[in-house]
Amino acid sequence: MAAPMLRWGCRGRRWAFARVDGGSCHRRGAPTGSTSNRIRGESSVAQQPLHTAQKTRKGEHKWAAVVGLEIHAQISSNSKLFSGSQVRFSAPPNSLVSFFDASLPGTLPVLNRRCVEAAVMTGLALNCHINKKSLFDRKHYFYADLPAGYQITQQRLPIAVNGSLIYGVCAGKKQSQVIPKTVRIKQIQLEQDSGKSLHDNLRSQTLIDLNRAEGQLRVDANISVHHPGEPLGVRTEVKNLNSIRFLAKAIDYEIQRQINELENGGEILNETRSFHHKLGCTMSMRDKEGKQDYRFMPEPNLPPLVLYDATSLPAGADPQQVINIDQIRETLPELPSVTREKLVQQYGMLLEHSFTLLNEVGLLEFFQNVIKETRAEPKKVTSWVLNTFLGYLKQQNLAVSESPVTPSALAELLDLLDSRTISSSAAKQVFEELWKREGKTPGQIVSEKQLELMQDQGALEQLCHSVMEAHPQVVMDVKNRNPRAINKLIGLVRKATQSRADPVMIKEILEKKLSL
Amino acid sequence: MSSQARRSALRAGALRGPRKEEMWSRLVWLGLRAPLGGRQGFTSKADPQGSGRITAAVIEHLERLALVDFGSREAVTRLEKAIAFADRLRAVDTDGVEPMESVLEDRCLYLRSDNVVEGNCADELLQNSHRVVEEYFVAPPGNISLPKLDEQEPFPHS
């Protein structure tokens, strides 16, 4: 059992934590525990109401929706939250279970230091206030995969509170604009996990595996609607959301359902609903027995968790037994928002580009390596990496690590482009060749395919001259200020040069010849 | 009595101001305050400390939450006495006193290193189970639902 789980939460404004009053209706048949080593959190999607829909009939009042997310994430650790058994995926059933995990009488929880560090790191990364003292509680409910009959959690006083996270929302016509938004994090708490149950309906039995390391990220959504300015509405909890896409669908559906219900004079019940993705709707999981009461009580076997910082650290304390928040803060890597800001400042890229660079694993490193090795301007590099390179990756569903083009290769290519050795279209050709993984360098490809730009100005002028002679009508059109004619002429010259001339240069020469 | 002395006295006497959300007896207290209704077979007329009766609805609720069985009038009387006993806490003036969160509050929470030192004893653990399928514990499906309120026998035990 003692699998570490962090629960971090941020919710819409006046929602008291469900657990204090016993929480939403909860079918006893449905496990509320999530898998081991989880961070469970709550976040409201935006400070402003997420979704505003017009009331169609009366047309007077607008609706505002408030959404809170409860996120369960598993902590990456070797052993569990409260016991020394291993955290591992796909192990034989019940092989990673200690006596404590099996809730044998006389066993006690022993807190894993690494899990506390992970919780503090998460809290710091999410701008939370870290509670120097936090408490553990028992949350009671009955289910076969919870042999103790309760789950150890942090309901009263969790390890971190009041944080925030800045994220980007793609908007605009081409989804290219990124709007930064802030979500509040209500709290982060460490939490134990329940086991896994497999239902065998044929034999009317349930098979229980107490290993608990599934490694998923799980989300439950809490949704309510109200008129702006009025108190918050009754909320429902939606469970069984297995992907971000379903999360979005379920929230949209539930908001609309609540609006419809209220507009038709109905009422919203404080209940738990399940999302059925095939039907695209939420359905009530309401237990006829009424609200679940978790009978929270302090965990009697665990003293308060006390954390220190540089100023409060007791002298001569055993470093193994104390956790220094300041020390943990120093081990935090650079956070994404800081990195993005640096990219925008240093390379003059748009904010949305910085989001894209950071959202793809390994892409930032790739980009930075190219920058290091090339003379080309950062904006050029940004464009090539985010458009061409990323485009090829996505088309073939490859990760950056699987790319056939190395940063050095791209850097060399961009150098050739920068020195005007090749044209932009030739560069694209070279890139395509590089992607074939034949081991050739850009330079080799350029000479093999004779893609070098014509450097001989004189020869180019000759060619322009002969093309102009061969196409007097087009020349006439150009002189008559037909805007498309010049492009046609440029095209003809390019063809004559077998695309080895820089179109910009061609245009210059032609314009000079035509005295435009 | 200074608040310091009061605090020590409280600690020594192991009497604590009840925490709102935690005290189980307080929940029941609220139940007692609720208007009486329904069957009152179990509820006693005796009222030791003016604490009122426990309604059948409260008993039902407790039985479902904790899966206990207040099968007899004796059990309910015992419950009422326990509540009355706990109610004496209310006689203590806890104004300005910080509630104690844990009797272990002066102890250090031991932090274990993140090493794997146990587990791998499925065979031993599975021996505890009445039924086993391969290496899984076997439990009845989901939860066995309790009989509905109106279906239940009022006094199943004497």
Side-chain angles (χ1 to χ4, degrees):
Chain A
M1 195 178 322
M5 204 159 59
L6 272 181
R7 189 161 100 177
W8 48 277
C10 45
R11 251 196 204 167
R13 305 165 296 259
R14 287 177 272 140
W15 283 346
F17 226 145
R19 277 79 197 141
V20 173
D21 63 350
S24 53
C25 285
H26 155 77
R27 188 173 79 179
R28 286 192 190 156
T32 55
S34 51
T35 61
S36 53
N37 298 13
R38 277 254 173 93
I39 297 172
R40 190 194 260 178
E42 298 184 340
S43 60
S44 65
V45 180
Q47 279 172 342
Q48 298 305 315
L50 173 70
H51 174 95
T52 307
Q54 287 288 357
K55 199 172 175 177
T56 47
R57 287 183 198 172
K58 288 170 190 175
E60 289 166 14
H61 304 287
K62 280 188 174 179
W63 289 101
V66 185
V67 181
L69 300 181
E70 206 180 295
I71 299 158
H72 306 242
Q74 186 169 335
I75 298 174
S76 169
S77 65
N78 300 325
S79 59
K80 296 186 180 176
L81 180 61
F82 290 123
S83 80
S85 41
Q86 193 181 16
V87 171
R88 212 181 63 185
F89 308 138
S90 310
N94 292 308
S95 62
L96 307 176
V97 179
S98 68
F99 289 178
F100 170 78
D101 301 331
S103 304
L104 297 191
T107 56
L108 295 172
V110 186
L111 186 56
N112 182 341
R113 185 198 163 83
R114 157 74 192 145
C115 296
V116 182
E117 290 170 348
V120 173
M121 279 183 93
T122 308
L124 291 172
L126 292 170
N127 299 314
C128 294
H129 167 75
I130 307 292
N131 283 328
K132 293 235 182 75
K133 182 162 85 157
S134 60
L135 307 169
F136 289 99
D137 305 299
R138 288 187 183 180
K139 176 180 176 183
H140 300 80
Y141 62 93
F142 290 107
Y143 199 62
D145 65 14
L146 197 65
Y150 61 86
Q151 174 192 32
I152 301 179
T153 179
Q154 288 190 302
Q155 190 260 344
R156 275 174 300 162
L157 197 55
I159 192 166
V161 290
N162 292 337
S164 64
L165 175 68
I166 301 174
Y167 63 101
V169 175
C170 291
K173 285 185 183 168
K174 291 189 224 167
Q175 296 287 295
S176 57
Q177 217 191 347
V178 172
I179 302 170
K181 283 194 177 270
T182 306
V183 65
R184 286 168 294 166
I185 310 278
K186 183 172 187 290
Q187 66 188 66
I188 297 183
Q189 61 195 70
L190 281 164
E191 195 169 81
Q192 212 179 12
D193 194 13
S194 63
K196 200 163 43 178
S197 41
L198 304 171
H199 298 286
D200 180 357
N201 290 322
L202 202 61
R203 294 179 198 81
S204 267
Q205 60 190 17
T206 302
L207 307 179
I208 307 293
D209 171 13
L210 298 174
N211 280 350
R212 288 162 257 209
E214 285 168 44
Q216 290 168 329
L217 190 74
R218 232 193 59 206
V219 182
D220 302 327
N222 293 278
I223 299 148
S224 76
V225 297
H226 70 297
H227 294 300
E230 288 181 19
L232 294 182
V234 174
R235 65 174 175 88
T236 61
E237 185 180 3
V238 182
K239 289 174 120 63
N240 189 31
L241 298 164
N242 297 327
S243 71
I244 303 285
R245 198 163 60 96
F246 291 155
L247 174 65
K249 279 191 171 179
I251 291 174
D252 284 340
Y253 174 85
E254 183 60 19
I255 289 171
Q256 203 52 55
R257 183 194 76 84
Q258 291 192 10
I259 290 173
N260 291 340
E261 187 69 35
L262 291 171
E263 284 185 351
N264 290 327
E267 62 167 3
I268 306 298
L269 295 162
N270 178 357
E271 60 179 353
T272 304
R273 300 176 73 85
S274 166
F275 180 65
H276 295 254
H277 62 93
K278 285 195 177 151
L279 302 169
C281 68
T282 62
M283 280 161 52
S284 177
M285 288 165 63
R286 197 168 2 128
D287 192 311
K288 290 167 235 158
E289 317 220 3
K291 270 192 190 181
Q292 182 72 300
D293 180 347
Y294 293 114
R295 291 172 291 139
F296 284 98
M297 62 175 261
E299 168 55 58
N301 295 323
L302 293 171
L305 173 59
V306 177
L307 305 173
Y308 300 94
D309 56 25
T311 52
S312 63
L313 201 61
D318 177 3
Q320 174 57 23
Q321 287 305 313
V322 294
I323 291 194
N324 183 344
I325 299 170
D326 292 333
Q327 201 174 53
I328 293 179
R329 189 180 284 114
E330 278 160 38
T331 67
L332 276 180
E334 184 176 270
L335 294 179
S337 53
V338 175
T339 311
R340 285 196 292 263
E341 186 57 37
K342 279 188 181 174
L343 287 171
V344 168
Q345 293 302 325
Q346 203 172 359
Y347 302 121
M349 69 173 70
L350 297 173
L351 188 62
E352 39 255 49
H353 295 159
S354 69
F355 270 97
T356 314
L357 268 180
L358 260 63
N359 281 349
E360 196 69 34
V361 176
L363 191 60
L364 178 63
E365 202 185 325
F366 186 94
F367 169 83
Q368 284 166 331
N369 287 337
V370 176
I371 290 268
K372 260 191 271 181
E373 293 188 39
T374 186
R375 280 188 328 253
E377 267 187 21
K379 288 200 172 175
K380 254 295 191 253
V381 180
T382 307
S383 172
W384 271 83
V385 169
L386 290 181
N387 297 326
T388 318
F389 177 65
L390 193 58
Y392 269 77
L393 281 179
K394 288 298 173 193
Q395 206 184 48
Q396 298 179 23
N397 208 14
L398 292 173
V400 174
S401 54
E402 297 167 315
S403 153
V405 176
T406 63
S408 308
L410 183 56
E412 193 188 323
L413 177 57
L414 291 176
D415 280 346
L416 290 171
L417 188 58
D418 187 60
S419 60
R420 303 191 86 176
T421 311
I422 54 175
S423 70
S424 169
S425 54
K428 295 255 165 70
Q429 267 184 275
V430 174
F431 191 87
E432 195 173 321
E433 282 301 311
L434 284 173
W435 203 268
K436 290 183 188 169
R437 225 186 273 266
E438 285 167 7
K440 298 190 198 134
T441 69
Q444 285 170 334
I445 297 172
V446 165
S447 43
E448 271 179 32
K449 297 208 170 235
Q450 293 180 318
L451 292 170
E452 305 94 328
L453 283 175
M454 278 183 73
Q455 303 296 347
D456 190 348
Q457 183 91 352
L460 190 56
E461 285 191 14
Q462 278 278 72
L463 261 173
C464 287
H465 186 83
S466 38
V467 166
M468 278 168 65
E469 300 242 299
H471 299 97
Q473 187 56 46
V474 187
V475 175
M476 189 63 66
D477 289 340
V478 176
K479 288 202 169 147
N480 290 337
R481 309 285 171 176
N482 182 341
R484 279 185 300 232
I486 186 80
N487 289 337
K488 194 166 176 195
L489 208 55
I490 294 172
L492 286 167
V493 175
R494 281 190 71 196
K495 235 168 75 173
T497 65
Q498 289 150 351
S499 292
R500 287 179 56 206
D502 187 353
V504 173
M505 192 158 290
I506 298 173
K507 190 170 184 197
E508 275 175 22
I509 295 172
L510 286 172
E511 281 174 351
K512 208 166 65 173
K513 283 193 179 293
L514 295 164
S515 325
L516 287 171
Chain B
M1 196 194 241
S2 72
S3 68
Q4 179 78 6
R6 194 190 292 158
R7 198 175 153 89
S8 314
L10 284 170
R11 205 175 272 170
L15 286 176
R16 286 279 144 194
R19 283 184 57 86
K20 291 188 294 267
E21 314 91 281
E22 255 72 64
M23 286 299 287
W24 176 81
S25 66
R26 196 175 180 93
L27 274 176
V28 183
W29 173 257
L30 291 171
L32 293 175
R33 287 276 164 110
L36 299 175
R39 294 167 285 143
Q40 296 172 15
F42 280 152
T43 60
S44 76
K45 298 214 166 121
D47 203 344
Q49 294 241 333
S51 48
R53 306 182 208 177
I54 302 174
T55 64
V58 170
I59 297 291
E60 297 275 1
H61 188 57
L62 288 173
E63 285 183 333
R64 283 164 194 277
L65 285 181
L67 294 189
V68 297
D69 185 3
F70 289 98
S72 67
R73 163 121 181 211
E74 217 176 48
V76 179
T77 309
R78 205 175 308 131
L79 172 65
E80 287 173 342
K81 286 195 175 144
I83 294 166
F85 176 77
D87 272 344
R88 286 159 57 196
L89 288 171
R90 302 171 68 76
V92 180
D93 178 11
T94 55
D95 282 346
V97 179
E98 223 17 67
M100 173 192 253
E101 281 121 2
S102 164
V103 293
L104 304 171
E105 67 181 15
D106 292 334
R107 298 226 191 155
C108 284
L109 178 52
Y110 178 76
L111 295 172
R112 180 176 53 83
S113 306
D114 187 26
N115 300 318
V116 177
V117 294
E118 46 190 347
N120 241 324
C121 50
D123 289 337
E124 268 189 272
L125 293 173
L126 290 168
Q127 279 175 34
N128 276 330
S129 182
H130 177 62
R131 280 176 64 208
V132 158
V133 165
E134 291 169 14
E135 286 150 325
Y136 291 92
F137 293 99
V138 178
N143 264 1
I144 302 169
S145 39
L146 294 169
K148 290 197 172 78
L149 282 166
D150 38 3
E151 287 168 8
Q152 196 177 23
E153 282 286 306
F155 316 119
H157 308 279
S158 62

